[in-house]
Amino acid sequence: MPYDSFLVAKIVREIETPVYLTGIYDVSGHSILLSLQKRDLLIDVGNWPHFRFTRMVVEKDRNPSAFVSFTRSKLKGGILSRVIQIDFDRFVKFEFEVKNLIGEIERFEMYHEAMGSFGNIVLVKDGKILISFRNVSSVKRIVTAGRDYLIPSDSRMEPLNVNEELFINSKGRLDQVLVSNVKGFSKKTALELCRIANLSFDTPVESLKVDEIKRIILGIKEMVNALDDNHVYLSIESGLPKDVCAYKPYGEFEKFQSPSEAIERLFSFQREESPLLKKDRLLKTVRSLLDKNDEILKKINEELKMIESAYEFKKYGELIIYNMYSLPKKADCVKVFDWETGKEILINLDPKKDLSENAQHFFSIYNRLKGKVNGIEERKRLIEKRIENLEQIKYEIENANDKVELDEIERELSLFNYIKTRKNKVLQESKPLEYEREGFKIIVGKNNIQNDRITRQASPDDMWFHVREAPGAHVILSTGKRTPSEDVVNFAASLAAGHSKYRNEAWVDVDYTYVRYVKKPKGAKPGFVIYKNFKTVRVKPAV
């Protein structure tokens, strides 16, 4: 988002002064809130340092940070008398007047700084820093309590002073020349101006023609003239909110009377996350997990292959014991006859050990490798089961149609401990697929959260279907205490096959039983059940 000097100028203009300061509160680890009578001003120094009016509800009785606690003690009962943008930059000064205990007016200044992606809030009195949100100690600048407060100098030219000479005397890319030489320009501001002037951002300034330079200068003037009104613009790309601009952006946009309202709208959208973006994010997560587990399975198989050589060590030990009296007591290696292959083989030995000790060493390796087999094979089964589960979730994501379904799948991933999500998030319930056959209703779960729900809500006399020994949807045939025909049963089974791992196979085995015989073990993950008294039918998958 181009939080440039143009946008800062309009946000500053939105703040009406003088106004009483009624409170100061922490919002997060990177933002505070100034309560100004009926409006709240949020000041942020996070990844996108900015300030705006907000309707955010803040918990006001929490333990304040050291910065907020100190600032409250100094500004309590004060008046915000003026807000000034400094030198058309992203430095803003908030001037406060506070009556002390003997009725004298004390004046404080709070500075909000935005330099690149770095932000800070600094409380100053009489030119001295009282406290800063972040202490800074670098070669260029020191910001700590007790120091003089100094604003970094900016030798760039004012936007309205830009003329042909800048481009004639400069070298390099157009966007970089603009950012380096014109006050108020961020990288995104320069990119937007290039789009407005119908020029590529990486155009060498040396190659600019006279009419192209004129278009750039005209574009800058239009940006400056846009400061005369309070409107801001929310740019739209592919139907989605993209950026907030103080000037008319290139392409599609939505116009707002209030800068803060536009920023709130953009943040609200970003918090909500579109279904398309969420689907893409979840797919990337699951694919990454699949790649990781495929790699683990590959290593396990390599380890098992190595363990297969365990018998060789056992045979070395047996051959040494068998030929003990015909071999030297100690040696680097020995040749012995292998009765299995009918050939002579060479066995490397530890010369520091005698034959008996070397034989025992080989038996020890054999026993150690054999002891690992059971644990490794169990781990292999768990990883294979996890991969099957992830493949099923991947299929669920690919076939999800709305945000509610994606929310459920995200919760499913969280319950499997694949990802972390916000606790106590209220989720809507998505609707499963529904079919009808000969007057019988058939319900198909689209994810494991739905699978649990439709099975839990089914009647004991309803029929439950699931592909045999593989991940897949739970299918409920609602009987209403009636007996369905063979065709209805086969159709329900084909739906279970079609919404399973084996959906692309020609024929699939599906188990079915009454819901009364389906149980979910306590603490089991979503979609996991055990069942008994079932029958199996082979059907063609259907969707």
Side-chain angles (χ1 to χ4, degrees):
M1 186 187 304
Y3 182 70
D4 52 26
S5 299
F6 297 90
L7 185 57
V8 171
K10 291 198 172 185
I11 301 173
V12 166
R13 193 184 303 163
E14 191 178 12
I15 304 172
E16 296 178 357
T17 55
V19 60
Y20 281 103
L21 175 68
T22 59
I24 305 175
Y25 307 98
D26 284 303
V27 176
S28 67
H30 54 77
S31 58
I32 66 171
L33 191 87
L34 303 183
S35 277
L36 306 174
Q37 288 182 312
K38 294 182 179 179
R39 302 186 77 179
D40 290 335
L41 186 72
L42 184 141
I43 303 178
D44 196 300
V45 293
N47 293 330
W48 190 67
H50 72 286
F51 61 95
R52 72 181 190 275
F53 283 115
T54 183
R55 295 187 180 89
M56 182 186 298
V57 178
V58 178
E59 184 183 347
K60 298 184 178 179
D61 57 348
R62 58 187 296 182
N63 294 328
S65 63
F67 178 85
V68 165
S69 183
F70 181 86
T71 306
R72 278 180 184 173
S73 70
K74 296 298 180 183
L75 302 184
K76 185 178 180 181
I79 294 173
L80 176 60
S81 58
R82 196 162 60 143
V83 181
I84 304 168
Q85 181 182 17
I86 299 172
D87 202 20
F88 197 63
D89 205 340
R90 296 191 300 166
F91 282 71
V92 175
K93 178 170 68 172
F94 298 83
E95 296 182 351
F96 294 91
E97 294 181 355
V98 183
K99 277 188 180 182
N100 61 23
L101 294 175
I102 60 174
E104 294 177 338
I105 298 294
E106 291 189 277
R107 290 178 172 83
F108 297 86
E109 296 161 354
M110 180 186 287
Y111 291 87
H112 178 247
E113 305 177 350
M115 295 180 289
S117 60
F118 175 82
N120 206 355
I121 309 169
V122 186
L123 186 65
V124 175
K125 184 182 180 186
D126 300 328
K128 294 287 186 182
I129 299 171
L130 299 178
I131 192 170
S132 60
F133 198 91
R134 291 170 173 162
N135 289 333
V136 179
S137 182
S138 67
V139 175
K140 294 182 178 180
R141 193 166 180 242
I142 297 176
V143 180
T144 56
R147 288 272 185 168
D148 290 337
Y149 180 72
L150 302 172
I151 296 174
S153 60
D154 188 351
S155 59
R156 296 182 297 172
M157 64 176 65
E158 298 287 341
L160 285 178
N161 292 338
V162 174
N163 54 36
E164 291 85 351
E165 288 185 13
L166 170 64
F167 304 100
I168 293 170
N169 298 325
S170 299
K171 291 183 179 181
R173 278 177 20 176
L174 176 56
D175 61 333
Q176 293 174 348
V177 168
L178 288 167
V179 173
S180 300
N181 292 278
V182 185
K183 280 185 180 179
F185 268 67
S186 65
K187 291 179 182 179
K188 287 197 174 182
T189 313
L191 291 175
E192 193 62 41
L193 176 60
C194 293
R195 293 173 70 183
I196 292 170
N198 197 26
L199 291 167
S200 175
F201 68 89
D202 58 357
T203 302
V205 292
E206 308 96 295
S207 68
L208 289 173
K209 298 174 183 177
V210 174
D211 65 315
E212 292 174 333
I213 293 175
K214 287 182 178 178
R215 289 207 306 269
I216 295 168
I217 295 172
L218 179 62
I220 293 174
K221 287 180 178 178
E222 288 176 353
M223 286 179 166
V224 174
N225 290 336
L227 294 174
D228 292 338
D229 66 65
N230 292 325
H231 294 109
V232 295
Y233 305 86
L234 183 62
S235 64
I236 310 292
E237 287 188 14
S238 303
L240 304 175
K242 180 70 175 177
D243 281 323
V244 177
C245 303
Y247 38 79
K248 283 185 181 178
Y250 179 85
E252 187 181 352
F253 60 83
E254 186 179 345
K255 190 174 181 180
F256 286 81
Q257 182 68 36
S258 161
S260 295
E261 185 182 346
I263 296 171
E264 288 270 286
R265 171 71 185 88
L266 178 62
F267 281 172
S268 173
F269 167 78
Q270 289 176 343
R271 284 193 297 268
E272 288 172 3
E273 189 178 29
S274 71
L276 191 65
L277 290 173
K278 185 159 198 167
K279 189 170 191 172
D280 184 57
R281 175 172 62 81
L282 292 177
L283 276 173
K284 283 180 180 177
T285 299
V286 171
R287 285 170 182 153
S288 174
L289 287 166
L290 279 167
D291 289 344
K292 182 179 177 181
N293 282 276
D294 283 338
E295 188 63 29
I296 292 171
L297 186 61
K298 181 182 174 183
K299 289 179 180 178
I300 288 173
N301 285 329
E302 288 173 356
E303 200 169 350
L304 283 171
K305 191 173 182 180
M306 186 185 75
I307 288 173
E308 287 175 4
S309 64
Y311 176 72
E312 292 296 316
F313 292 103
K314 181 184 179 185
K315 185 165 72 172
Y316 290 161
E318 289 174 342
L319 288 171
I320 290 171
I321 296 296
Y322 183 78
N323 294 280
M324 179 83 71
Y325 299 104
S326 61
L327 296 172
K329 191 172 182 180
K330 288 187 178 181
D332 292 333
C333 59
V334 293
K335 284 185 178 180
V336 293
F337 180 77
D338 182 0
W339 59 80
E340 288 184 346
T341 62
K343 296 179 181 179
E344 199 173 57
I345 63 171
L346 182 70
I347 302 176
N348 291 314
L349 303 175
D350 184 346
K352 295 178 181 179
K353 298 177 179 178
D354 62 24
L355 285 176
S356 178
E357 288 172 330
N358 272 289
Q360 292 304 316
H361 175 65
F362 286 128
F363 288 137
S364 175
I365 294 173
Y366 165 74
N367 290 327
R368 188 166 65 250
L369 289 174
K370 286 297 289 182
K372 290 174 67 177
V373 169
N374 291 339
I376 293 172
E377 287 182 341
E378 177 60 26
R379 190 168 176 232
K380 181 181 179 180
R381 283 191 291 271
L382 289 172
I383 294 298
E384 286 174 340
K385 196 173 183 70
R386 185 182 298 167
I387 290 172
E388 278 191 348
N389 180 243
L390 287 167
E391 288 286 0
Q392 177 64 21
I393 294 174
K394 178 171 168 279
Y395 171 74
E396 293 170 5
I397 297 169
E398 289 170 343
N399 289 275
N401 296 314
D402 56 43
K403 185 176 180 298
V404 177
E405 291 178 17
L406 290 166
D407 284 344
E408 284 186 334
I409 295 169
E410 185 175 45
R411 183 176 170 228
E412 180 182 341
L413 285 165
S414 174
L415 290 170
F416 277 110
N417 295 319
Y418 292 137
I419 62 171
K420 291 182 179 180
T421 57
R422 195 176 73 204
K423 292 182 179 180
N424 302 322
K425 183 178 178 182
V426 179
L427 298 177
Q428 289 179 262
E429 290 187 353
S430 62
K431 294 182 179 180
L433 297 172
E434 292 188 4
Y435 297 83
E436 190 272 337
R437 191 81 157 199
E438 295 181 12
F440 287 88
K441 183 179 178 182
I442 302 170
I443 305 169
V444 180
K446 290 188 285 186
N447 56 61
N448 282 321
I449 299 293
Q450 279 191 9
N451 287 338
D452 276 357
R453 187 165 63 245
I454 65 173
T455 302
R456 184 175 63 250
Q457 294 174 349
S459 167
D461 295 316
D462 293 339
M463 299 180 75
W464 179 89
F465 296 76
H466 196 280
V467 65
R468 185 172 181 77
E469 296 180 350
H474 293 205
V475 175
I476 300 296
L477 171 56
S478 184
T479 64
K481 297 186 177 181
R482 297 171 294 160
T483 302
S485 67
E486 184 179 350
D487 178 65
V488 173
V489 170
N490 287 340
F491 178 65
S494 68
L495 290 173
H499 292 85
S500 75
K501 175 184 176 180
Y502 298 133
R503 53 190 168 275
N504 296 318
E505 300 294 325
W507 294 91
V508 178
D509 288 339
V510 175
D511 293 339
Y512 67 98
T513 185
Y514 286 102
V515 171
R516 68 168 64 94
Y517 299 124
V518 180
K519 303 294 180 186
K520 185 175 184 67
K522 187 176 180 181
K525 299 293 185 183
F528 181 80
V529 295
I530 54 176
Y531 55 95
K532 60 183 181 180
N533 297 340
F534 61 90
K535 295 180 180 179
T536 303
V537 61
R538 180 164 292 183
V539 293
K540 290 183 177 181
V543 293

